[in-house]
Amino acid sequence: MKEYNPDAIRNITLIGHGGSGKTSISELLLFTSGAINRIGKIEEGNTVSDFNQNEIEKQISIYATPLHLEWNNKKINLLDTPGFPDFIGQVISSLYVSDVAVSVIKSAEGIEVGTELTWEYARKYNIPSAVIVNKVDNEHSKFFDTIEVAKNRLSPDVSVVAFPASEGLNFNGVVDLIKMKLVTYGDAGSKKVTVEDIPANLKEQADKLREELIEKVAESDEDLMNKFFEEGTLSEDDLVKGIKKAIVDGALVPAFPMAATKGVGANTFLDFVEKYFPSPADRKPLEAKMKDGGTPVEIKCDPNGETVLFIFKSLSEQHVGELSIFKVYSGTVTQGIDLVNTHKDKTERIGQLFILNGHNRTEVSSLKAGDIGAVVKLKDSHTGDTLCSKNFLVVLPEIEYPEPVIRMAVQPKAKGDEDKISAALHTAHEEEPTLISKYDPEISQTIIAGQGELQLNLAIKLLKDRYGVEVDLVEPRIPYRETIKGVCNDAEYKHKKQSGGRGQYGHVHLKLEPLPRGGGFEFVDAIVGGVVPGRFVPAVEKGLKEIMSKGILTGSQVVDVKVTLFDGTYHSVDSDEVSFKIAASQAFKKGFMEAKPVILEPIYDVEVKIPEEYMGDVMGDISSRRGKILGMESESPFQIIKAKVPLAELHKYSTQLRSLTSGRGMFKMSFSHYEEVPKEVEAKIIEEYQKQKQEAAE
């Protein structure tokens, strides 16, 4: 396999709403370039990028798939990403290593919520972008309307570089505004392409659109603008340089028509990619930090520099082990070299190197800066790790993933599977970084959290299929807290036990007072004259901490309480630490119930983004969940509702929101604060707790 220098590489991520045709486009591009010899179909489960069994069954992309092809001596690395919002993490990590984001939009439906969500991440990473308007063969196709909407909703810099000669069922030709030719495509799978002059009926439109394109390019650069004013147009040479620079600077977002399943538009797109899309060397150097001291340093895309690579994806395959997929940012990676993982301070020997087309691996001896490849069986390196040569220890910026929007508790079906489950969930997190799992001691459950119900269900299926562990997903317990609103001036308890031999004796008087929210626990030793000897005071404090961790009303942690030990008595023989621990915990229980106890619940900040027509339904639903709506913002054509909602009312909210908004609503949530539970809700919580306690005892 030949090696490619950075200037001969193009790294593209296909992004967009589910069902826009990203996988079909990938398939067409691979076929057109000769990387595969037949076009697979999603419904037949034989596409290169959707090779995972779950993807074949559900007919959607779940993982980002690295692909590659060659076109006019340029290597094009494609990352085909999922459109379903549950798998947004796959999109984010692909964009991190990409040099161009290509948003695929359906010609009839136009901009959908997934289009905007993924576009926002491309903007966040400041990635040059392009647009493919796909499915122009749809009888309701509206290519130019979709372009106008994209200008309004995505970027005013969206510019047509090719347009359909005709739309709908007869779509088979593209007018290329760069070459000023009509490109007609034969039947899908034929690879037949005819290039001819633009017919008279399309010439005027083509001239007008080319003029607009030239003006757009001229506007992006002062020198070109001056030339344009002087000469009224731009030379071929100036146009080539200007288009490339404008794309790199984000001043031009080229738009292409395509019909992936009909095989129309691929050559026009690939020709443009090869000539005008930026190579990794055209992008600004990545800013990293030196491992020691954190000094900022630029990583230049130089194959002769010190080697630096970043693992952006992990894949576990049976009989192969973990495959680490990476981008080389600097230097050249060769088989057998040793690199340092600067996150873990471990040295890794690079074994077999591969380039991938789905699950098809091609072994290569080396990969140069700018390229994407995979290595098997690294010992300690996973997604998000930087590997570099020992002479240049740097750490690349971390990928930031969104907070989870759904959480469930994992309940093993068989006892003793806990360790297996923990290891399996750790592996699942490596493959899908937005899937987070941890044991929560406060509620004594293993919590799995992520971006949607489908994502969690697939993680559980993975446990069964790959590790043979069966679990149920259940509603997680809520980490309630307990506190007091009143003061108990004297909570007394005497622990006295006599049963032959040495007895037990501990006697305390406590004062309980509320602390401000967030005050935690404060213990005051106010004993005078040694009525409780100093050696027993720590035991009192220990007894208080233990009972507070177990709770009184609902078995939840007690917070924001000040306890003063101000009196007591002891027995010179029978008193010991255990006796005072017991006395303290019993006195606290008694005092707690007298000091106006209340339950606190976690409240979350919720931000919901929806099309305007769903406002009433969504706001009504938030109110029914005891939510307080704080305000609304307009982000045309979407509305953003901001609210505070109790965590107890947010179980499976992501699923409900999708149902209410036909899949067009998005939301994010983050912890805000703890707040007192309304009395009628409190009674139900206590009743439920007592019932569970009784059942457990039986």
Side-chain angles (χ1 to χ4, degrees):
M1 189 77 194
K2 72 188 207 190
E3 289 185 349
Y4 295 86
N5 283 315
D7 60 355
I9 295 168
R10 307 285 181 267
N11 294 316
I12 298 169
T13 293
L14 295 176
I15 61 173
H17 194 79
S20 57
K22 299 178 292 296
T23 299
S24 300
I25 287 173
S26 304
E27 201 71 12
L28 175 63
L29 297 178
L30 290 172
F31 174 74
T32 303
S33 68
I36 55 175
N37 54 24
R38 63 184 291 270
I39 300 176
K41 290 190 173 148
I42 289 160
E43 45 280 15
E44 290 173 15
N46 58 1
T47 62
V48 176
S49 58
D50 286 358
F51 61 87
N52 177 280
Q53 195 51 44
N54 290 324
E55 293 177 310
I56 292 166
E57 281 171 21
K58 297 196 177 297
Q59 296 191 6
I60 59 166
S61 298
I62 292 167
Y63 301 102
T65 308
L67 310 162
H68 67 274
L69 57 93
E70 190 185 285
W71 190 257
N72 293 347
N73 296 317
K74 301 288 191 294
K75 183 186 182 194
I76 299 172
N77 289 315
L78 279 176
L79 289 159
D80 175 25
T81 66
F84 208 72
D86 289 41
F87 311 111
I88 188 68
Q90 299 285 322
V91 181
I92 293 167
S93 49
S94 300
L95 287 170
Y96 183 96
V97 297
S98 186
D99 297 309
V100 182
V102 177
S103 183
V104 181
I105 305 167
K106 289 182 260 184
S107 188
E109 290 86 348
I111 309 292
E112 295 169 282
V113 72
T115 320
E116 298 212 305
L117 176 70
T118 52
W119 188 265
E120 278 172 22
Y121 281 105
R123 292 278 68 77
K124 182 180 172 183
Y125 288 133
N126 215 11
I127 301 171
S129 303
V131 165
I132 290 176
V133 178
N134 189 30
K135 306 192 179 184
V136 178
D137 56 331
N138 184 309
E139 59 181 324
H140 303 296
S141 170
K142 304 186 290 272
F143 177 80
F144 286 104
D145 288 357
T146 301
I147 293 293
E148 283 310 306
V149 176
K151 283 182 180 183
N152 291 328
R153 303 251 297 269
L154 303 182
S155 165
D157 300 311
V158 171
S159 302
V160 173
V161 294
F163 69 92
S166 64
E167 290 190 66
L169 303 175
N170 298 322
F171 173 55
N172 68 349
V174 170
V175 177
D176 186 330
L177 296 175
I178 307 293
K179 298 174 182 170
M180 283 305 274
K181 294 286 181 187
L182 171 66
V183 184
T184 307
Y185 291 81
D187 293 337
S190 72
K191 287 196 189 177
K192 193 177 170 201
V193 177
T194 312
V195 180
E196 54 202 328
D197 289 337
I198 299 170
N201 65 325
L202 295 170
K203 189 77 173 70
E204 192 183 328
Q205 188 181 16
D207 287 340
K208 181 174 172 285
L209 288 168
R210 182 178 163 91
E211 190 64 24
E212 284 174 13
L213 178 63
I214 291 170
E215 276 182 38
K216 187 78 188 158
V217 173
E219 280 169 15
S220 68
D221 183 275
E222 207 173 318
D223 291 344
L224 291 179
M225 188 58 124
N226 293 335
K227 275 190 181 178
F228 180 72
F229 280 136
E230 282 166 24
E231 297 164 25
T233 188
L234 293 178
S235 69
E236 206 59 42
D237 223 25
D238 285 335
L239 191 58
V240 170
K241 284 183 200 153
I243 288 174
K244 193 165 193 174
K245 184 178 181 298
I247 292 171
V248 172
D249 294 345
L252 178 70
V253 177
F256 308 83
M258 205 176 277
T261 51
K262 210 173 170 187
V264 182
N267 299 56
T268 312
F269 177 71
L270 288 170
D271 285 347
F272 191 95
V273 167
E274 171 262 311
K275 199 163 184 180
Y276 299 105
F277 273 17
S279 75
D282 294 321
R283 302 282 314 282
K284 280 182 189 163
L286 186 70
E287 285 218 352
K289 286 184 177 163
M290 296 303 294
K291 166 84 174 144
D292 299 320
T295 314
V297 61
E298 285 191 341
I299 309 295
K300 294 193 173 79
C301 188
D302 176 7
N304 301 312
E306 294 288 356
T307 303
V308 179
L309 65 84
F310 181 82
I311 300 171
F312 68 96
K313 181 176 165 60
S314 300
L315 191 65
S316 283
E317 280 193 24
Q318 280 178 323
H319 319 303
V320 179
E322 189 172 291
L323 209 54
S324 299
I325 301 164
F326 61 85
K327 180 179 182 181
V328 188
Y329 277 91
S330 169
T332 300
V333 180
T334 53
Q335 293 193 13
I337 64 163
D338 289 334
L339 296 175
V340 178
N341 179 330
T342 48
H343 282 100
K344 312 241 171 65
D345 289 325
K346 297 276 177 87
T347 300
E348 292 276 16
R349 165 116 348 143
I350 300 296
Q352 284 177 293
L353 288 172
F354 299 101
I355 51 175
L356 305 176
N357 259 333
H359 62 69
N360 301 315
R361 297 189 302 274
T362 305
E363 192 172 344
V364 292
S365 56
S366 67
L367 288 163
K368 292 185 177 181
D371 215 341
I372 287 172
V375 59
V376 286
K377 298 187 174 80
L378 293 177
K379 293 197 301 291
D380 301 294
S381 302
H382 304 286
T383 305
D385 286 344
T386 303
L387 272 63
C388 45
S389 54
K390 61 179 186 295
N391 308 324
F392 189 56
L393 297 179
V394 295
V395 180
L396 296 185
E398 287 185 13
I399 303 175
E400 288 175 32
Y401 295 104
E403 290 291 317
V405 297
I406 185 170
R407 53 197 286 285
M408 298 288 276
V410 175
Q411 198 167 282
K413 286 191 178 177
K415 276 195 165 62
D417 276 349
E418 285 77 8
D419 288 347
K420 256 193 198 172
I421 291 166
S422 175
L425 287 175
H426 179 73
T427 306
H429 170 70
E430 295 297 347
E431 291 185 23
E432 181 53 88
T434 58
L435 189 75
I436 296 161
S437 63
K438 64 169 190 195
Y439 179 75
D440 188 338
E442 198 173 329
I443 54 175
S444 306
Q445 285 180 313
T446 294
I447 297 298
I448 181 170
Q451 298 301 308
E453 206 171 340
L454 176 60
Q455 185 192 34
L456 300 195
N457 288 334
L458 286 172
I460 297 316
K461 188 171 183 291
L462 176 85
L463 296 192
K464 185 184 176 186
D465 295 349
R466 200 185 290 174
Y467 301 98
V469 182
E470 290 201 48
V471 300
D472 287 322
L473 284 181
V474 297
E475 186 172 348
R477 298 181 193 114
I478 301 297
Y480 292 113
R481 301 273 163 89
E482 301 176 12
T483 192
I484 53 172
K485 286 171 82 177
V487 175
C488 173
N489 286 306
D490 187 0
E492 180 197 6
Y493 191 85
K494 187 184 284 184
H495 175 68
K496 195 174 178 183
K497 207 171 177 187
Q498 204 71 43
S499 54
R502 187 178 160 195
Q504 290 182 338
Y505 185 91
H507 177 209
V508 295
H509 287 265
L510 306 175
K511 180 181 181 182
L512 277 65
E513 303 166 77
L515 284 174
R517 197 72 65 243
F521 167 58
E522 191 183 324
F523 175 67
V524 179
D525 172 10
I527 291 297
V528 182
V531 288
V532 173
R535 67 182 185 276
F536 296 137
V537 172
V540 170
E541 188 175 358
K542 201 172 176 186
L544 293 171
K545 282 182 176 170
E546 276 184 20
I547 190 72
M548 285 175 74
S549 70
K550 291 173 186 163
I552 316 294
L553 303 172
T554 61
S556 306
Q557 191 182 334
V558 177
V559 293
D560 307 337
V561 176
K562 177 181 176 182
V563 182
T564 305
L565 170 66
F566 66 88
D567 201 0
T569 59
Y570 75 103
H571 189 282
S572 56
V573 177
D574 292 349
S575 284
D576 60 6
E577 278 153 356
V578 172
S579 303
F580 273 96
K581 252 177 78 176
I582 293 168
S585 62
Q586 293 301 321
F588 182 85
K589 257 189 196 177
K590 194 173 156 191
F592 184 84
M593 293 310 290
E594 289 174 21
K596 296 185 185 165
V598 290
I599 298 172
L600 304 174
E601 65 178 341
I603 305 294
Y604 273 64
D605 283 316
V606 173
E607 199 173 285
V608 188
K609 185 175 181 179
I610 46 164
E612 194 157 354
E613 62 261 37
Y614 300 109
M615 283 276 287
D617 288 349
V618 171
M619 284 169 76
D621 184 60
I622 289 172
S623 299
S624 74
R625 294 170 186 272
R626 297 194 284 121
K628 290 179 192 143
I629 290 164
L630 305 177
M632 282 163 288
E633 287 172 16
S634 184
E635 200 180 274
S636 182
F638 290 95
Q639 292 291 332
I640 295 169
I641 302 170
K642 293 185 177 182
K644 288 197 185 292
V645 187
L647 178 63
E649 304 291 342
L650 285 170
H651 182 57
K652 291 192 177 179
Y653 179 61
S654 59
T655 309
Q656 172 66 5
L657 180 66
R658 279 177 201 166
S659 165
L660 278 175
T661 61
S662 307
R664 295 174 68 201
M666 298 272 174
F667 88 107
K668 50 188 178 186
M669 57 188 259
S670 57
F671 173 72
S672 172
H673 65 285
Y674 269 86
E675 198 172 276
E676 200 178 315
V677 171
K679 279 295 163 205
E680 66 278 10
V681 178
E682 186 181 271
K684 281 182 196 161
I685 296 167
I686 294 170
E687 189 187 326
E688 186 63 30
Y689 172 69
Q690 295 300 343
K691 193 173 147 194
Q692 284 172 358
K693 207 170 159 189
Q694 206 173 338
E695 281 170 6
E698 282 170 4

